[in-house]
Amino acid sequence: MDIDVSKLFNTCLLFVATIVVAKLISAFIVPKSRKRLPPIIKGLPIVGGLPRFLKGPIFMLREEYPKLGGVFTLKIFHKNITFLIGPEVSAHFFKAPESELSQQEVYQFNVPTFGPGVVFDVDYSVRQEQFRFFTEALRVNKLKSYVDQMVTEAQDYFSKWGESGEVDLKYELEHLIILTASRCLLGREVRDKLFADVSALFHDLDNGMQPISVLFPYLPIPAHRRRDQARKKLADIFASIIASRKSTGKSEDDMLQCFIDSKYKDGRPTTEAEVTGLLIAALFAGQHTSSITSTWTGAYLLSNSKYLSAVVDEQKNLMGKHGDRVDHDVLAEMDVLYRCIKEALRLHPPLIMLLRSSHTDFSVTTREGKEYDIPKGHIVATSPAFANRLPHIFKDPDTYDPDRFAVGREEDKIAGAFSYISFGGGRHGCLGEPFAYLQIKAIWSHLLRNFELELVSPFPEIDWNAMVVGVKGKVMVRYKRRELSVNQ
Ligand code: HEM
């Protein structure tokens, strides 16, 4: 009996102890975890950080990161935008499934431009299939035929330059890239016959994407009205091209053909409206981004004699090996030029802010070991423009140093997969990256082989106000024809 009493006593003690411990856990740990919200950027009542954000998100990040570290929240009205800066905390941003961090809500503003039934207007399962169409249209065998068209376009375009002269390189490269994109993506019919009409319509689509459109994409303003009319006209043009290709049984080597031939898993072919929408999306993803990057590459090469000689020497070596031939495989050997482009893109990623919407709570740990819980409902953001210049990843981050990517240094890899994020990464990494590099290399290898170039305007500034952040003002370049020879 005595033993039973002591057993009972011990059991009661254990029970009480368990409750006390549970209470302690709930009193300290659970509320503590609720308290682990990221620090908040100081702002005004009601509007919060809106004025600072509008003044320039990168300037705001430059001020706040040293004070708050890699994770912090900006309040704008009732919205919370939590920034995850640096590979230690941004991994979840890039790797999380759509059910946890989604693009659909934050990129909704693209819907009136791309049109109904595609990309951010459809469920994730359909969008995934549409991105499969992109992947297939950008496979190596397709890229090989696009490269031949890129090279021809560059030759034709620069053949119109004189023996010597001065040009705005930014304007020239924008135009060449529209022509090339038109040929490889939109197809021969547009490039050969309808170029003027279609590029004017794309111009209206472009102008219909204003900063205000991000918040109010359907606001009845003239720019939006012109955008909507342009999209309808483009849909008509592509419907008739598609119908003519189908009726004549003609097949071409372009993205348009790939999208026409694409089928969903259930066997359903793409509609004409979907093909049009996907082409518009491709042009929006790839045109400004590539032309801006080609311009920055030029500005840096023409301001850095060390790297200019290195890329010229590489061209000479390749000419010694392959003669004048420039195709996919020759472009693939242009490693020095590749690193020079990649470095221009590190310093100037055209997409400065990437966004997601959080559907579940998640936690991140900063490189200093601080843990933060990011609640469901926050908009989550990361910034290639800021993260690409973090000094703990990139040595002398503001210096143009393409060798940082060479074997032995590889600064883009040593801090993990998400150190260099000009093309995003993970689940939604850019599908057009190889296309973009090929296109920019094709242009620059032609320029280096055929011209002596000199930058005559000051080194360009950044145009932070553009939706796709690029180069401010003109980039004046003096050129003189020369034929590079292997023994020069
Ligand atoms: C220098 C040129 C380019 C840059 C800097 C660039 C940058 C990016 C970035 C940062 C993303 C990720 C967006 C996010 O995570 O929210 C992305 C996605 C994408 N890009 Fe590019 N891009 C370039 C060229 C192209 C080209 C030429 C194409 C197609 C022809 C293209 C097609 C796409 C597509 C389809 C996606 C969406 C992938 C997905 O969500 O799964 N891009 N790009």
Side-chain angles (χ1 to χ4, degrees):
M1 185 69 175
D2 272 359
I3 295 167
D4 279 346
V5 168
S6 100
K7 252 189 179 174
L8 190 67
F9 178 74
N10 283 346
T11 311
C12 286
L13 201 66
L14 190 68
F15 183 67
V16 171
T18 310
I19 290 185
V20 169
V21 170
K23 282 272 176 205
L24 281 174
I25 290 174
S26 73
F28 291 105
I29 314 260
V30 177
K32 198 171 150 212
S33 81
R34 283 206 197 107
K35 280 183 204 141
R36 296 188 315 181
L37 291 174
I40 294 177
I41 294 182
K42 287 199 182 89
L44 300 172
I46 305 172
V47 292
L50 185 65
R52 287 186 70 195
F53 190 76
L54 292 180
K55 242 175 95 190
I58 301 301
F59 299 103
M60 185 192 76
L61 295 182
R62 278 186 199 150
E63 280 168 17
E64 298 301 333
Y65 179 85
K67 289 189 267 172
L68 304 177
V71 183
F72 44 85
T73 299
L74 172 75
K75 283 186 180 287
I76 296 183
F77 297 111
H78 63 290
K79 288 265 179 224
N80 290 297
I81 306 175
T82 292
F83 288 87
L84 302 177
I85 305 291
E88 305 81 10
V89 289
S90 63
H92 185 74
F93 179 98
F94 291 114
K95 290 201 288 197
E98 184 78 4
S99 57
E100 292 179 21
L101 284 184
S102 71
Q103 292 182 314
Q104 183 128 14
E105 304 85 343
V106 286
Y107 294 155
Q108 262 305 300
F109 64 89
N110 289 298
V111 170
T113 307
F114 298 172
V118 291
V119 193
F120 301 114
D121 189 47
V122 291
D123 284 349
Y124 184 54
S125 58
V126 180
R127 192 171 346 131
Q128 260 181 314
E129 292 215 54
Q130 294 179 345
F131 282 149
R132 173 169 57 79
F133 304 158
F134 271 100
T135 308
E136 280 161 13
L138 293 164
R139 279 199 198 292
V140 173
N141 62 331
K142 304 280 179 200
L143 289 177
K144 287 191 171 178
S145 68
Y146 300 156
V147 165
D148 297 339
Q149 300 166 18
M150 291 169 185
V151 171
T152 309
E153 286 292 341
Q155 282 166 351
D156 287 355
Y157 193 87
F158 295 120
S159 71
K160 297 185 182 102
W161 281 14
E163 265 314 296
S164 61
E166 241 178 65
V167 286
D168 174 7
L169 191 68
K170 180 173 115 178
Y171 174 91
E172 297 293 313
L173 297 182
E174 262 168 23
H175 276 248
L176 171 54
I177 282 189
I178 299 173
L179 291 165
T180 314
S182 182
R183 165 81 65 188
C184 301
L185 309 180
L186 308 183
R188 191 183 42 75
E189 299 86 338
V190 168
R191 175 66 186 87
D192 293 348
K193 295 201 200 95
L194 298 161
F195 183 71
D197 300 346
V198 169
S199 60
L201 294 172
F202 268 107
H203 185 73
D204 283 349
L205 272 191
D206 236 358
N207 284 344
M209 183 86 82
Q210 306 281 335
I212 186 82
S213 322
V214 176
L215 294 173
F216 306 106
Y218 299 97
L219 200 70
I221 54 174
H224 287 168
R225 264 196 295 280
R226 280 196 294 273
R227 169 199 71 193
D228 297 342
Q229 283 161 3
R231 220 196 50 74
K232 280 199 196 101
K233 285 188 191 152
L234 279 172
D236 292 343
I237 291 177
F238 280 106
S240 74
I241 296 173
I242 296 165
S244 137
R245 280 199 189 180
K246 282 184 179 163
S247 67
T248 55
K250 259 193 199 157
S251 180
E252 301 276 347
D253 267 337
D254 48 42
M255 193 176 244
L256 167 62
Q257 191 68 47
C258 295
F259 288 160
I260 295 174
D261 297 339
S262 295
K263 285 200 169 60
Y264 292 91
K265 274 195 297 228
D266 63 4
R268 178 174 84 71
T270 46
T271 65
E272 288 158 1
E274 286 169 341
V275 171
T276 307
L278 293 174
L279 285 174
I280 295 174
L283 223 67
F284 266 74
Q287 189 199 314
H288 291 310
T289 46
S290 299
S291 84
I292 288 165
T293 307
S294 330
T295 305
W296 283 119
T297 302
Y300 278 108
L301 285 178
L302 302 185
S303 316
N304 285 271
S305 53
K306 176 180 162 195
Y307 292 108
L308 183 61
S309 327
V311 285
V312 170
D313 286 348
E314 181 178 60
Q315 294 300 317
K316 284 188 207 161
N317 290 339
L318 289 170
M319 287 166 75
K321 214 166 142 192
H322 303 290
D324 287 341
R325 180 165 68 90
V326 178
D327 59 15
H328 176 274
D329 297 346
V330 176
L331 289 178
E333 286 185 51
M334 297 180 186
D335 285 334
V336 183
L337 183 55
Y338 166 76
R339 289 197 289 273
C340 289
I341 299 168
K342 183 167 181 161
E343 177 67 341
L345 193 51
R346 179 185 70 83
L347 290 163
H348 301 287
L351 305 183
I352 60 165
M353 200 72 78
L354 310 178
L355 302 172
R356 302 287 186 266
S357 174
S358 118
H359 293 274
T360 51
D361 302 350
F362 65 96
S363 306
V364 290
T365 307
T366 65
R367 57 192 283 263
E368 295 82 17
K370 277 195 188 155
E371 285 190 39
Y372 292 115
D373 302 319
I374 289 88
K376 173 181 169 176
H378 276 210
I379 292 174
V380 183
T382 196
S383 166
F386 189 80
N388 277 353
R389 293 185 188 223
L390 287 172
H392 68 278
I393 297 173
F394 298 103
K395 185 172 171 280
D396 299 328
D398 298 331
T399 306
Y400 182 74
D401 177 10
D403 289 342
R404 67 174 80 247
F405 303 123
V407 180
R409 285 180 67 189
E410 292 179 325
E411 293 180 6
D412 55 324
K413 294 200 185 104
I414 45 175
F418 307 113
S419 314
Y420 177 96
I421 53 167
S422 294
F423 288 103
R427 208 168 270 272
H428 294 291
C430 178
L431 299 174
E433 178 176 346
F435 181 98
Y437 273 117
L438 288 167
Q439 187 173 22
I440 301 166
K441 282 188 198 169
I443 293 172
W444 274 101
S445 87
H446 184 91
L447 284 171
L448 295 167
R449 288 177 186 208
N450 293 282
F451 296 94
E452 261 173 32
L453 300 159
E454 186 194 344
L455 182 66
V456 288
S457 53
F459 191 83
E461 288 178 23
I462 302 171
D463 180 5
W464 290 111
N465 292 327
M467 286 285 286
V468 181
V469 169
V471 179
K472 199 179 198 174
K474 294 185 176 179
V475 182
M476 296 310 295
V477 164
R478 192 169 298 143
Y479 68 83
K480 197 165 133 214
R481 258 178 213 284
R482 66 126 182 254
E483 272 201 25
L484 196 64
S485 80
V486 181
N487 306 316
Q488 227 168 6

